[in-house]
Amino acid sequence: MSSHNALLKHVSIAAKDSILVATFAIDGNIPGQGAYVVGLVAATPDYSHQRRMGIEFMNGEAVSFYCFSHDGTEENFDLKGVEHSGNTITGNFPLTTVLGLPKGHLMTAFSDCDGREYQANVPVEEAL
């Protein structure tokens, strides 16, 4: 994959009822070949508690929608919570994925391509 394809341009999250709506705007389109993952890393300020929420695509189609906590728990969500069109990916995560994180938590976005970290520590605009 070229380094100019599918770069995260803007990432935002908002709370709507019991849903955490995460919107990922990418430069280009979701790659049509291979694995591509976009997601969020939420952590306490000291990084003692972390959660990694992601949407994985394989050959351009969503195949996995999940939240992994560093305490070892993983939840997989119904792919109906994922929408993608052109250069916008939206994940409708349960709000419980970030409940319990204190004020002042850290939130960044990431992308992976074919198992390699592509982007990390991308700023996230929050409206919680």
Side-chain angles (χ1 to χ4, degrees):
M1 184 170 129
S2 162
S3 62
H4 299 290
N5 294 334
L7 286 172
L8 291 172
K9 292 190 316 184
H10 183 261
V11 180
S12 63
I13 59 171
K16 291 186 181 173
D17 300 320
S18 62
I19 304 295
L20 174 73
V21 179
T23 305
F24 302 87
I26 58 176
D27 188 14
N29 291 313
I30 297 167
Q33 285 187 283
Y36 179 67
V37 179
V38 294
L40 303 167
V41 175
T44 56
D46 65 357
Y47 288 94
S48 62
H49 293 88
Q50 298 179 40
R51 298 184 187 137
R52 192 172 178 93
M53 297 160 272
I55 304 167
E56 181 176 2
F57 294 85
M58 183 61 70
N59 299 328
E61 295 299 320
V63 295
S64 183
F65 183 39
Y66 63 87
C67 178
F68 174 79
S69 286
H70 285 192
D71 67 5
T73 59
E74 181 174 350
E75 289 182 84
N76 290 295
F77 309 117
D78 192 316
L79 288 172
K80 290 179 188 173
V82 175
E83 302 165 17
H84 61 96
S85 176
N87 63 352
T88 302
I89 301 165
T90 303
N92 295 290
F93 294 91
L95 192 55
T96 56
T97 57
V98 293
L99 289 180
L101 287 174
K103 252 193 180 344
H105 64 266
L106 307 171
M107 179 80 66
T108 59
F110 69 92
S111 66
D112 293 340
C113 292
D114 292 326
R116 292 184 311 268
E117 184 173 78
Y118 194 54
Q119 287 177 281
N121 299 315
V122 175
V124 176
E125 180 184 325
E126 295 187 48
L128 296 177

